Amino acid sequence: MLKKFFIVVFVIIGFSFTNNELHEKFYKAIKTNFEVEEIKTTSAINETLPAKIGSENLFQIFSDGGLIGYAYLGKAPSKKNEFDYVVMFDKELIIKKSKVLIYRENYGQQIGTQRWLRQFIGMS
């Protein structure tokens, strides 16, 4: 019984570290690419955005009190696992930069290279 308890505690602790690591990388990516003072979750979704984008993973980015862009925090499947990524947009929802934050596979890390991700810059 005690062994099961410790396993559950370690699993919970492990997930909390991963979640903290993800959020740290997310905010670092935004701060690197935008001069930000505040990151605020959007409360309303524009009808022109894809249905997959929800207020829990689309963030407005403010600097000096004005909106300067958006950031989308997503999760996508890889061969056997999932990876976390961020896509940063300007005010017109044009991709400014994308970054793979956490990749959990031994193969396929090339999708996280800026050389490959650069092809999406400027897309809407």
Side-chain angles (χ1 to χ4, degrees):
M1 182 69 169
L2 190 59
K3 185 178 179 181
K4 288 181 183 178
F5 172 75
F6 282 115
I7 291 172
V8 169
V9 169
F10 284 124
V11 168
I12 291 171
I13 290 171
F15 281 124
S16 67
F17 282 126
T18 303
N19 201 19
N20 286 338
E21 179 187 6
L22 175 61
H23 284 90
E24 286 175 17
K25 288 184 175 195
F26 175 68
Y27 290 116
K28 183 179 178 183
I30 291 172
K31 288 178 182 179
T32 301
N33 293 289
F34 289 99
E35 299 291 325
V36 296
E37 292 178 11
E38 178 184 357
I39 298 170
K40 180 181 176 184
T41 329
T42 59
S43 56
I45 299 300
N46 187 324
E47 296 82 32
T48 61
L49 295 175
K52 283 182 160 181
I53 296 178
S55 61
E56 68 279 351
N57 54 1
L58 181 66
F59 299 85
Q60 291 178 318
I61 303 169
F62 291 92
S63 181
D64 297 327
L67 179 69
I68 60 169
Y70 298 90
Y72 175 77
L73 179 62
K75 206 177 263 297
S78 55
K79 187 171 183 174
K80 296 180 182 177
N81 215 326
E82 293 181 320
F83 63 93
D84 298 293
Y85 64 95
V86 61
V87 179
M88 291 163 273
F89 303 90
D90 64 13
K91 289 190 288 187
E92 289 77 34
L93 293 173
I94 306 295
I95 295 176
K96 182 175 178 163
K97 184 159 184 156
S98 56
K99 181 176 178 89
V100 174
L101 300 174
I102 300 176
Y103 193 79
R104 297 173 182 89
E105 301 271 351
N106 292 329
Y107 300 99
Q109 296 94 342
Q110 296 85 352
I111 67 159
T113 63
Q114 285 306 307
R115 181 177 179 199
W116 190 82
L117 291 170
R118 203 174 308 132
Q119 67 182 309
F120 302 110
I121 295 172
M123 293 182 147
S124 59

